[in-house]
Amino acid sequence: MDDDRAARAIRQQVRTDRLFGLEAVPVRPAGSSQPRQTSQNKSQALRIMDEQEVRKCTRCDLCRSRTQTVFGEGDPDAALMFIGEGPGQTEDEQGRPFVGRAGELLNKMIVAMGLAREQVYIANVVKCRPPDNRTPVPEETAACWDYLRRQIEIIQPRVIVALGAPAAKMLLETKVGIMKLRGTWQSFNMVQPPIPVMPTFHPAYLLRAYTQDNRAKVWSDLQQVMEMMKK
Ligand code: URA
């Protein structure tokens, strides 16, 4: 087809589209307001954020005491994302999330769900270890928030598990405590479409309070997640 004929065909197509009420050409999949990304794109976007921003980050004072940053790891295309609080000593030494005792328990939880650690994505609210493993203060979580928000935006998981109070508070913009929130479906509304969030106890809390009751609660929360993932 020569250029003139191609141009006439396009003009005709546009006129027909207008006739049927189509004013713009959709460039995103129907029902999604976010661009579709391939696994390779996601992996590259995450790597660039880590290498060019997070590793050099000095947005809060945690940068002074860290050995290294802990960006997060896992399948960039994961359907399930776990979000913890912040690196502990082992994570700070290794630069990887959940590799200490709490990580061992998280690994068991993931396996109990019928998944492998490599199939999910694991990140934290703050990317640097708070000294003495204290809870990160609001200035620190606020300074780091943009990284986690963008990680979620890139990965676009189908379900998020918020491990413990700081993760639940940040994701859900709430002051409601984890005791009340856990086991109830919530929603992360800063992306479109919103992502279902299941708040549950942090594995480190579970290790400290390893009662049958607490274990049963966490397992019931994870079973709800497994059900949601089947839909
Ligand atoms: N606790 C967390 O919240 N995150 C880790 O990475 C390790 C322990």
Side-chain angles (χ1 to χ4, degrees):
M1 197 187 292
D2 65 37
D3 287 355
D4 275 359
R5 278 185 65 199
R8 271 200 306 277
I10 290 168
R11 274 197 298 273
Q12 180 59 46
Q13 178 70 50
V14 169
R15 274 196 294 272
T16 312
D17 283 347
R18 287 222 175 104
L19 201 62
F20 288 101
L22 187 70
E23 287 294 332
V25 178
V27 291
R28 290 172 182 175
S32 159
S33 61
Q34 289 180 49
R36 190 190 289 281
Q37 294 209 57
T38 64
S39 172
Q40 209 178 3
N41 287 345
K42 290 181 177 191
S43 158
Q44 192 180 20
L46 291 168
R47 187 175 45 77
I48 290 171
M49 195 199 322
D50 183 19
E51 288 177 3
Q52 298 187 1
E53 298 182 64
V54 172
R55 288 181 200 198
K56 299 174 188 164
C57 185
T58 55
R59 288 184 188 178
C60 79
D61 280 350
L62 293 182
C63 67
R64 295 175 199 249
S65 51
R66 75 180 176 220
T67 307
Q68 57 191 312
T69 55
V70 178
F71 181 73
E73 68 180 23
D75 181 354
D77 217 12
L80 180 58
M81 189 164 175
F82 287 89
I83 299 177
E85 178 177 324
Q89 185 180 351
T90 321
E91 289 78 19
D92 174 73
E93 284 163 8
Q94 294 189 24
R96 297 177 54 208
F98 281 96
V99 285
R101 277 191 71 223
E104 277 172 30
L105 183 53
L106 178 61
N107 290 348
K108 285 184 189 163
M109 286 158 52
I110 294 168
V111 170
M113 295 173 82
L115 296 166
R117 183 175 160 119
E118 298 71 37
Q119 286 178 282
V120 303
Y121 198 91
I122 304 173
N124 282 305
V125 170
V126 293
K127 311 302 187 207
C128 298
R129 180 191 181 202
D132 304 318
N133 297 345
R134 64 162 170 73
T135 304
V137 298
E139 296 77 56
E140 292 157 358
T141 53
C144 221
W145 169 238
D146 182 56
Y147 297 134
L148 179 59
R149 187 189 55 72
R150 284 159 59 203
Q151 281 175 302
I152 298 170
E153 222 166 57
I154 292 167
I155 296 163
Q156 298 178 17
R158 283 192 45 222
V159 179
I160 296 174
V161 176
L163 299 166
K169 282 184 179 157
M170 285 309 285
L171 292 167
L172 308 174
E173 300 178 284
T174 181
K175 289 199 164 76
V176 179
I178 189 72
M179 295 291 168
K180 266 211 167 145
L181 286 174
R182 72 136 282 281
T184 63
W185 281 111
Q186 306 291 325
S187 180
F188 178 64
N189 295 324
M190 290 176 217
V191 290
Q192 281 306 320
I195 301 171
V197 176
M198 175 54 67
T200 194
F201 293 145
H202 192 287
Y205 168 77
L206 202 54
L207 285 172
R208 285 196 304 274
Y210 206 62
T211 64
Q212 200 154 10
D213 183 45
N214 283 342
R215 277 181 284 168
K217 282 177 176 156
V218 171
W219 182 230
S220 136
D221 302 345
L222 297 180
Q223 280 176 314
Q224 287 199 67
V225 171
M226 287 148 66
E227 279 305 310
M228 180 67 96
M229 307 264 303
K230 279 189 210 150
K231 287 182 188 162

